[in-house]
Amino acid sequence: MRRMPEGEPRNSRIQRAVVQLILDRKLRPGAPLPTETELMDALRVSRNSVREALKALQALDIVEIRHGHGTYVGQAGLTPLVDGLTFRTLTRHDDPGALAELLQVREVLEEGLLRRVVPAVTDPVLDRLESVVTRMEAAGRSGRPFPELDRQFHELLYAPLGNALVPQFLGAFWTVYRRVAGARGWTDDPAPEVTVRRHRDIVTALRARDVAGAQHAMAVHFRGIESRAAQESRGVG
């Protein structure tokens, strides 16, 4: 029988107790949770309390409720973070600093990671990065936007690190930016050749195993994004 912690709202206590149960039993993502009745008995709470707690945990992707099948341990992805950052940025309306803050965090993250990428990146990965840049160039020449290629470039760039959290965090920042841009009706970069050149500069520095050069190229890339976001916030095309 589990004693729930005191001093916080009842629903929060039940949520924490369910999370602790998952941890204590070493349940992995996708594993089934005890039934509602079993949770009621273990936590000494009502069925409604269990259901409210599970719904709240589902919103955090900690559990997954499959109607007619039961409740399972969730993937604990970054969807709540994405939704929260999107809402936070959009509610600041015409404040260009809101998105700039987000971009600055991503810039610091990527520039820091580059120091680890340089000694780890292989020639085949560099060739794949160059291929993505070439496809960006072709898309730009034909007048097609290439946001997905941009995302692919950055995810591929950090793949040599073998850190599963890195692409999730980068993907979260990318998704927030695209959501905000879409909600505010921002247009695509009017000079795709500049975006292509900035990405190619990153690859060139990586091939030379030049940490400072790669970080500088990444900083220039982000300065361009920040400048464009500021212009769009002011309605400047």
Side-chain angles (χ1 to χ4, degrees):
M1 182 183 302
R2 181 176 304 282
R3 182 181 296 277
M4 291 185 294
E6 301 295 334
E8 61 180 321
R10 181 176 177 80
N11 187 264
S12 295
R13 296 202 307 269
I14 299 172
Q15 291 176 44
R16 289 184 180 276
V18 173
V19 170
Q20 192 59 51
L21 181 147
I22 293 171
L23 297 176
D24 289 346
R25 299 189 181 185
K26 295 181 171 57
L27 301 179
R28 301 182 66 82
L33 262 65
T35 65
E36 286 185 355
T37 301
E38 291 170 337
L39 289 174
M40 290 165 54
D41 292 340
L43 306 179
R44 300 187 66 182
V45 296
S46 69
R47 187 178 300 275
N48 283 341
S49 294
V50 168
R51 288 180 175 177
E52 288 177 6
L54 291 178
K55 287 180 181 178
L57 291 174
Q58 179 175 234
L60 298 174
D61 201 21
I62 292 175
V63 306
E64 178 187 359
I65 300 173
R66 304 176 191 174
H67 296 288
H69 296 279
T71 304
Y72 299 78
V73 180
Q75 299 298 318
L78 298 183
T79 299
L81 173 65
V82 170
D83 292 341
L85 285 175
T86 301
F87 179 77
R88 179 184 184 279
T89 306
L90 288 175
T91 53
R92 290 173 67 176
H93 304 294
D94 297 327
D95 178 9
L99 192 56
E101 290 172 356
L102 187 73
L103 291 170
Q104 286 167 10
V105 171
R106 180 181 162 188
E107 179 184 350
V108 169
L109 176 63
E110 294 211 37
E111 284 189 41
L113 289 170
L114 277 174
R115 184 173 297 278
R116 295 176 178 267
V117 168
V118 170
V121 71
T122 63
D123 287 339
V125 171
L126 290 170
D127 291 342
R128 290 171 63 190
L129 287 168
E130 185 66 44
S131 176
V132 174
V133 174
T134 300
R135 288 158 60 196
M136 286 181 178
E137 188 172 33
R141 286 176 176 172
S142 63
R144 292 181 287 110
F146 46 84
E148 286 297 336
L149 289 174
D150 196 332
R151 178 173 184 164
Q152 182 180 341
F153 179 93
H154 288 266
E155 290 181 350
L156 178 59
L157 178 59
Y158 302 104
L161 299 180
N163 186 323
L165 273 177
V166 169
Q168 291 185 48
F169 271 111
L170 296 182
F173 286 125
W174 188 92
T175 299
V176 173
Y177 181 83
R178 298 306 301 180
R179 283 186 182 181
V180 172
R184 292 181 173 170
W186 292 354
T187 58
D188 293 298
D189 193 331
E193 66 275 8
V194 174
T195 301
V196 170
R197 184 175 68 249
R198 287 169 178 163
H199 284 82
R200 182 162 280 130
D201 287 345
I202 295 171
V203 178
T204 299
L206 289 174
R207 284 196 186 278
R209 308 297 172 179
D210 181 356
V211 175
Q215 291 178 321
H216 175 72
M218 184 66 74
V220 171
H221 173 44
F222 273 99
R223 295 295 180 272
I225 299 175
E226 291 173 11
S227 174
R228 182 60 181 165
Q231 288 180 341
E232 290 284 10
S233 296
R234 295 192 299 268
V236 180

